[in-house]
Amino acid sequence: LDGTTRITPSSRDAWRFEVFRCAPSCESAAVLAGGYGTTGDEVRIAIPATVLGLRPDSGLTALRAFTGPGDALSGTLTRFDEVALPDAVIPEALVRFRVLHHDEVVAEATSAPAAGRATALLQGPLAASSYEVEASLCLGSDCTPPRRVRTEV
């Protein structure tokens, strides 16, 4: 976080977590999903990249997380624990498309998804035949298993 954002439980509900943007006064920017004890003896929260204003290939540096009682107005009163986290880069999301004929790749393309959809123009002549179209969602170099559909040309 850039020093102007605090994440703290809400004073209205001890297990409600929020992101506050502080510059210099603090305002709630988002309510976060999370809680204490739902997966064991730990605190977990999910912070969407969009809440922090992150874009693909942007970096997170000097990250640290801590837990402790407190409220949104006064902040944390006592720290129970604290951990320094490694730097990270937000990978770009891409959809990889491939057209296969008898398990041989005959065309491929990559597209960045926009508004939940990805489209790609696959160029090249295709003979009249049966093909499989395959798509995988990738974050950086990590991709989901491909999903295939059969089509006729």
Side-chain angles (χ1 to χ4, degrees):
L1 303 177
D2 63 4
T4 63
T5 305
R6 286 191 302 159
I7 302 169
T8 181
S10 168
S11 58
R12 295 180 302 276
D13 180 354
W15 304 119
R16 179 173 159 167
F17 297 86
E18 295 180 53
V19 170
F20 286 84
R21 298 227 182 265
C22 304
S25 62
C26 296
E27 294 182 14
S28 177
V31 174
L32 303 173
Y36 174 73
T38 56
T39 58
D41 193 18
E42 61 189 9
V43 174
R44 285 189 173 223
I45 58 172
I47 308 170
T50 54
V51 169
L52 300 177
L54 298 176
R55 293 184 301 278
D57 294 330
S58 61
L60 296 171
T61 59
L63 297 173
R64 63 185 178 87
F66 59 89
T67 59
D71 63 46
L73 298 176
S74 63
T76 302
L77 303 176
T78 304
R79 290 187 185 187
F80 290 149
D81 55 19
E82 183 171 357
V83 62
L85 303 170
D87 293 348
V89 174
I90 306 301
E92 183 176 10
L94 296 172
V95 178
R96 184 178 67 195
F97 295 97
R98 299 188 329 163
V99 178
L100 299 101
H101 186 252
H102 300 293
D103 289 328
E104 181 181 329
V105 177
V106 294
E108 59 187 325
T110 305
S111 173
R117 294 179 179 253
T119 58
L121 177 61
L122 299 166
Q123 296 182 333
L126 294 177
S129 187
S130 177
Y131 294 89
E132 289 185 309
V133 178
E134 178 181 276
S136 296
L137 175 62
C138 302
L139 292 174
S141 61
D142 295 325
C143 298
T144 62
R147 298 189 111 189
R148 285 187 180 186
V149 293
R150 185 171 295 281
T151 189
E152 299 288 328
V153 173

